[in-house]
Amino acid sequence: MLPAGTSLRRVTTNGIETNVAITGTGPAVLLLHGFPHTWRLWSEIIPGLAEHHRVITPDLRGLGASDGSREPGVSGEAASPRAFDADGGAADGYDAGTLAADAEALLDALGEPSATVVGIDLGAPVAFLLALRRPGRVRRLVLMEALLGRLPGAGDFQPWWFGFHSVPGLAETVLTGHEAEYIDWFLTVGTQGRGVPRPVRDAFVSAYTGSDALRRAFSHYRAAPVSARQIHEAADAHRLTMPTMAIGAYPVGDRLEHQLRPITDDLTGHTIDDCGHIIPLDRPDALLPLLLAFTR
């Protein structure tokens, strides 16, 4: 069931067909999810945001119902993407720079010259690069529960699944047939045991079931070295000049704020207590007021 007033569209963006949910009218807010999520990660906060904004919630490249990149020896994939700033993105097109180009192309396709951009988990580096490289397209920036490559401030935080997902061919071979158990582990830990609404959980499991779906998901992690280089080079060359908000919970906490502080002109930091990694589903009651106050 879709949030009231929400329509689903297929939009051509940067060589792929992107699945996007659109709700409301007003200044645009672009919401970028992470793993193991789809656009439905934002289901609990879309209605409140849509009272004041046009809320744009895509599935990231290769996730949910959006096309993946074309990969050698794999049929049925979309055409190769346009690399963001032609900077030598990952060969399979899942680096953060290419996804930032996807986000910009989505704004173009929907006639939005700029938006408040919100990213969590895998979506945060995408939003970060879009803001650094195309500051005119990002009015305000919100980053949540993520680390930005090798920028200082992260400490030694390195979740175990980053390495597991990064080994080509391994995770999808091990997990095929056990996708529901694996996704449920992330949803349970990410909400400190509280879980997520059953329809949202089922949508996530469906989106990540099958070896092809898993391979596309883990390709985001396999592109991490390229994404880290893109983040480092962009942060060396530019500063975040738009109002920016960093929101942490458990386990990232204030590490993201520490990474952003040296390169941001106007930064607000929040840490939400008693909240797991999946903030929009675990504590929408705490997140929505922060977003409304910041975007308005």
Side-chain angles (χ1 to χ4, degrees), residues 99-140:
L99 271 70
D102 292 349
E104 184 178 20
L106 178 59
L107 293 178
D108 289 341
L110 297 178
E112 294 290 353
S114 64
T116 294
V117 181
V118 181
I120 188 171
D121 193 77
L122 291 176
V126 179
F128 177 74
L129 277 180
L130 180 62
L132 279 180
R133 292 172 160 181
R134 299 287 192 267
R137 306 305 300 268
V138 181
R139 292 193 305 271
R140 291 173 179 264

Side-chain angles (χ1 to χ4, degrees), residues 21-291:
I22 302 173
T23 316
T25 59
V29 176
L30 175 64
L31 305 176
L32 304 175
H33 68 82
F35 172 88
H37 318 137
T38 68
W39 73 266
R40 293 179 183 272
L41 172 73
W42 309 103
S43 298
E44 298 294 316
I45 66 166
I46 285 174
L49 279 178
E51 292 180 7
H52 309 280
H53 297 280
R54 187 188 193 194
V55 183
I56 302 167
T57 49
D59 288 335
L60 295 185
R61 173 182 291 260
L63 305 181
S66 289
D67 289 346
S69 301
R70 185 174 61 196
E71 300 172 39
V74 178
S75 62
E77 301 288 356
S80 298
R82 171 175 60 90
F84 198 107
D85 283 347
D87 62 352
D92 61 3
Y94 292 99
D95 56 284
T98 297
L99 271 70
D102 292 349
E104 184 178 20
L106 178 59
L107 293 178
D108 289 341
L110 297 178
E112 294 290 353
S114 64
T116 294
V117 181
V118 181
I120 188 171
D121 193 77
L122 291 176
V126 179
F128 177 74
L129 277 180
L130 180 62
L132 279 180
R133 292 172 160 181
R134 299 287 192 267
R137 306 305 300 268
V138 181
R139 292 193 305 271
R140 291 173 179 264
L141 177 66
V142 182
L143 303 177
M144 295 188 281
E145 274 296 286
L147 297 178
L148 300 171
R150 296 185 294 270
L151 295 185
D156 59 358
F157 183 76
Q158 182 70 14
W160 62 266
W161 56 89
F162 279 38
F164 178 49
H165 294 173
S166 296
V167 180
L170 176 61
E172 54 266 46
T173 300
V174 172
L175 295 172
T176 298
H178 300 280
E179 297 91 340
E181 295 92 335
Y182 196 60
I183 300 305
D184 281 340
W185 184 87
F186 283 97
L187 301 184
T188 300
V189 172
T191 57
Q192 298 190 337
R194 288 180 282 265
V196 305
R198 186 73 187 195
V200 175
R201 176 266 182 193
D202 290 347
F204 290 168
V205 170
S206 176
Y208 290 89
T209 293
S211 59
D212 287 345
L214 292 172
R215 172 182 47 79
R216 290 191 295 269
F218 301 144
S219 291
H220 291 263
Y221 292 87
R222 292 161 194 169
V226 175
S227 298
R229 174 181 59 78
Q230 294 168 339
I231 289 168
H232 179 77
E233 292 175 353
D236 275 353
H238 308 285
R239 291 182 60 82
L240 291 172
T241 57
M242 69 288 297
T244 300
M245 182 163 62
I247 303 177
Y250 179 83
V252 176
D254 61 0
R255 293 180 178 90
L256 176 60
E257 181 182 350
H258 290 320
Q259 286 189 306
L260 290 170
R261 185 69 61 186
I263 57 172
T264 307
D265 290 346
D266 181 359
L267 178 64
T268 301
H270 295 279
T271 301
I272 301 177
D273 295 331
D274 188 28
C275 182
H277 177 69
I278 311 175
I279 299 173
L281 290 172
D282 193 24
R283 290 294 308 278
D285 60 315
L287 177 60
L288 181 60
L290 291 177
L291 293 179

